[in-house]
Each structure stands twice: as C-alpha cells, then as structure tokens.
Amino acid sequence: MTQRHGQIERGTREYRHANLALFIAGFVTFSTLYTVQPLLPLFVVEFRISPATASLALSTATFALAWMLPVSGSFSDAYGRRVLMGTALVLTSLLALACAFSSTLPTLLALRLLQGAVLAGVPAVAMAYLNDEMSPRAIGAAMGLYIAGNACGGMTGRILTAVLADVLPWRGAVAVIGGIALSLSVLFWVLLPPSRHFQRRPFRIKPLTASLVGHLREPGLLCLFALAFLLMGGFVTLYNYVTFYLLAPPYSLSQSQVALVFLAYAFGACGSSVMGGQVERIGRSRILYTALATMATGILLTLLAPLGAIVAGIVVFTIGFFGAHAVASAWVGTRAAGARAQASSLYLLAYYLGSSISGTGGGLIWSCCGWRGVVGLVAGLLVLAGLVILRLTSLTPQPFRAAAAASPDASFGPFGK
C-alpha cells in the first residue's frame, strides 16, 4: 500500500479516535444483531410458538444482512463511508428499542428484518474506511481492533442480555442493549474523523454483475462459499438450541448461568489466531481438516451427560469453528484474482445464509428429536464440509480475470475496494 498525504498515523489523536470509533461500530453491530439469541426460550413461552419459529427472531436479521452485504460497499462509494456507517448504527439502535416495545411476533420479526438490512452498512464499509484513511503502518493494528470490537459485541450482547433477562422482562433487557447502543452510536459520530481520501463514485450495476458472475464460475470459490454455509450453519444451530437444552431438566440452569456458555467465544478467538498462524507451516487444507476434526470432537462431547463435558464440548467446537472460518475467509482473497472485496462479501452472504437456514431448521430437529437430533444435524453438516474440503484441495487455483475486476471503479463488499 502506498503512503498518501494526510493518512492517519499511529500514535496520533486521530488514530486513537478512529480506532475507538470503529471498535464501537463493531460492538454495536454485533451486540444488537445477536442480542435475541439467548432469549429464544422466552419467546417460545410468551408467544406460544415452537423453537424453530422462535429462531426466526435471529434468522430474519441474519438473512437480511446476508443479502444486503454484496451491495452495501457500493452504496458507500456513492454516499460516503462515515455517513452510511453512522446512520446504520443509529438506526439499528432505534430498531432495538422498537423491538422492546413489540407486542406481537410478526412485529418483532419485521423489526428484526429491518435491523439486519441496515446493519449491512457497517461491516460492508468499516474496512473500506480503514483502507482509505489509515497509513500502511497503522492499518494492521486498526483492523485488529475493529475485529476485536466485533467479537466483544457479539459476546457481550448475548451474555448481558441473558443476565438482564434474569432480573428484567426480556423487553427490558433488549431496551437496555438498545439504549447502550444508541449512546455508543452518538459517540461514534463524535469520534470518527471525517474521510479525507474518499472519492465518490456512482453506483453502477454492470461492473458489479460482471465480477459477480466471474466469482460464481470459479469452482474453488464456490467450495469456500459452501464451506461458509455449512460451518456457520452448524455453529449457530449449536448455540441456538444449547440454551433450550441447558435450561431444561436435568440441568435446569438459569438464564445467567447459560449465558456463561458464550464465554467460549474467547477461546474461539484464540483458536483462530493459533490456527491462522500455522497456515504457512502446515498448509490450508491440513488446518481445515484439523479444525473440522476439532469441531466434530466438540459436538460429540456434548452427548455426554456431565455438565462439564457439555461445556468442554462447546469450547472445543468453538475453537475449531473459529479456526476454520479464519482460514477459509482468508483463502477467498487468494483464489479471487480481482474484485476480492466482492468475493469476500459473497463468502459472508453464504455464511449468514447458513446461519439463517440451519439455525431455523435446527429448531424442527430439536422439537422432534431433542439434543441428539441437533447433534446429528450438526455432525451431518460437518461431514458435508469434509467432502467440500476434499473437493477444494483437489482444485488448482483458477482465478477469473474480468475487466470489471481491474477497473478502478470496482469497489464492492464488506472489505472495501
């Protein structure tokens, strides 16, 4: 990356403000997206619905997020990075507050659908802002802090909501999260330095379509997209229904106790760092197989009766998932010869579709077959993932080279241009 005049440097006041603002952006995005996950059992009771129907409170949001990701980066090229991110954060906070006042399930689902759609304006643009504004020496640390905000937001949103749900009605818990998110969103507007290197470009369909078709014709990328769908589907299915499993006899845990399960995310973040660091020495395919075996070991451990074994299984599964996701998502960039940001956004599209479809389908399995059925579903997804990895490793890189991919106007997806 070439140094440009006026870029943000490490150690400056602007650097500290930009880092804190983007940490806040990641935190608000994923705390509001996942705040309903620990509340699914409460929705079953209040709305008198099945677990599968209750899971729509999460799946509708991730579904809308998935479909908006591929175009949100291009919208930011037309309307500006800072404006789009700030507006998205304020809107998702207001929608979270609105969810707290929803009296019917259809109203809640409609609000969550809108929430997912507006949230696409953050991950699709934050990394583009960093690429635009940070100097080459500053961008690595800044990117790491933004990703840390994503992880902290997802974990805190789940845990804090569950803890609050033990002392407040679920609507009160969601309102607290929404209020915190709104306050932080205002702080984001105050802190984030204005864009100095942003160049406005009109939104154009033709180059977007040309590069999109090219990505979808590349077998290796299709394998990576399938892997994202399968792995995220298994991951969200486990976390959606382990709450039902542990709240029921013989464990009969409280919401606050079940919330501690989400601390496994911290172990997962460490796992992704370790596995990602071994790619050069061991190779991507071996790391992926190792991560898959780790996930399989974890899900099987949850079949044991002792609570400690179940918690250990969730931790092991989470470590494997984060490791596989880190390697697969990085592999996308190396297989795509151009429009890499769009390729990454397609990967995330598959990722969140897996969350939406399997996360809800797992509820049907839970209702008829219990926890063993959920484990069977996740294990089946892992077997399919193993077959996809086998196919992926048999391919040689054949990246496409579309004219649009080389165009300076081609800027797509959640990772900027």
Side-chain angles (χ1 to χ4, degrees), residues 133-219:
E133 307 301 329
M134 291 286 175
S135 74
R137 291 184 294 273
I139 192 167
M143 198 76 77
L145 191 59
Y146 166 68
I147 292 170
N150 294 350
C152 287
M155 187 168 66
T156 304
R158 291 168 168 100
I159 294 174
L160 182 58
T161 302
V163 170
L164 289 171
D166 264 349
V167 295
L168 296 172
W170 70 261
R171 289 181 176 83
V174 172
V176 170
I177 298 295
I180 293 172
L182 185 59
S183 300
L184 290 174
S185 299
V186 173
L187 187 58
F188 169 89
W189 276 103
V190 172
L191 288 172
L192 189 69
S195 298
R196 293 198 178 106
H197 299 281
F198 168 72
Q199 295 180 349
R200 194 179 303 276
R201 299 186 182 100
F203 179 78
R204 296 192 297 180
I205 293 294
K206 188 175 180 179
L208 179 68
T209 304
S211 55
L212 176 68
V213 171
H215 288 317
L216 296 177
R217 286 177 175 171
E218 209 286 289

Side-chain angles (χ1 to χ4, degrees), residues 345-368:
S345 71
L346 288 172
Y347 175 88
L348 289 176
L349 168 61
Y351 183 85
Y352 286 114
L353 283 179
S355 167
S356 303
I357 295 171
S358 182
T360 295
L364 302 175
I365 302 295
W366 164 259
S367 295
C368 68

Side-chain angles (χ1 to χ4, degrees), residues 155 158-159 162 238-239 242-243 246 253-267 307 310-315 318:
M155 187 168 66
R158 291 168 168 100
I159 294 174
L238 181 146
Y239 274 95
V242 75
T243 54
L246 296 179
L253 301 184
S254 67
Q255 286 281 351
S256 299
Q257 290 169 328
V258 172
L260 297 178
V261 168
F262 293 109
L263 291 173
Y265 270 57
F267 293 95
L307 180 60
I310 296 170
V311 173
I314 293 169
V315 170
T318 303

Side-chain angles (χ1 to χ4, degrees), residues 268-337:
C270 294
S272 67
S273 177
V274 171
M275 290 188 188
Q278 295 298 313
V279 166
E280 291 300 320
R281 188 171 70 87
I282 299 175
R284 292 189 186 95
S285 58
R286 289 183 180 178
I287 291 290
L288 282 177
Y289 281 125
T290 300
L292 204 62
T294 303
M295 293 176 72
T297 301
I299 195 64
L300 292 176
L301 278 174
T302 67
L303 290 173
L304 300 178
L307 180 60
I310 296 170
V311 173
I314 293 169
V315 170
V316 169
F317 183 93
T318 303
I319 290 171
F321 168 76
F322 273 82
H325 174 45
V327 174
S329 58
W331 202 341
V332 170
T334 63
R335 284 207 66 100

